[in-house]
Amino acid sequence: MRMVYTNDNRMLVGNARNLLESAGIELLVKNEFAGGVIGELSAFDAWVELWVVEDADYRRACKILETALSDRNEPDWHCSGCGEINDVAFEYCWRCQSRPPARGGAPAGD
Ligand SMILES: [Zn+2]
């Protein structure tokens, strides 16, 4: 088991988690419930951590995050579901999990 991502911004961690889980990577989330209510600025010492359960997934997980987090040339996108503004790195709205409006390329199907 290896840690792939941590950040003091729980929304960013949540989005990273979505990215990895949507790729079928099994995760363990540490400190998810530490620090009380989301929105309070009280938990600087308890960053949420994402751990890959299977070491075999570690490289793939890193690659996914690397790709997602480095693709920052595009502007933020507005969620058509709830109107939230999301970082371009994220494939889903952090609030309602909707897909962004057309970003080129259809989903690979499922
Ligand atoms: Zn939304």
Side-chain angles (χ1 to χ4, degrees):
M1 198 168 74
R2 300 179 69 170
M3 189 175 79
V4 287
Y5 188 75
T6 186
N7 197 293
D8 65 341
N9 185 328
R10 284 162 183 264
M11 291 187 300
L12 294 182
V13 177
N15 276 292
R17 180 184 183 179
N18 286 342
L19 285 171
L20 296 176
E21 288 185 339
S22 68
I25 293 173
E26 191 179 353
L27 297 173
L28 184 78
V29 183
K30 294 190 178 183
N31 298 332
E32 186 175 14
F33 302 111
V37 180
I38 291 175
E40 291 185 1
L41 302 174
S42 60
F44 296 113
D45 58 342
W47 290 18
V48 182
E49 298 174 354
L50 298 182
W51 290 68
V52 171
V53 174
E54 300 294 336
D55 284 6
D57 286 333
Y58 179 75
R59 279 173 164 274
R60 193 159 64 96
C62 288
K63 195 71 184 172
I64 289 167
L65 293 180
E66 192 178 296
T67 301
L69 300 179
S70 65
D71 181 22
R72 302 187 65 89
N73 295 323
E74 299 175 56
D76 295 346
W77 53 274
H78 277 89
C79 174
S80 57
C82 68
E84 192 57 58
I85 297 171
N86 293 277
D87 190 286
V88 68
F90 302 131
E91 291 185 15
Y92 298 91
C93 173
W94 64 265
R95 174 182 271 177
C96 73
Q97 314 299 305
S98 290
R99 283 287 213 166
R103 301 178 73 195
D110 203 310

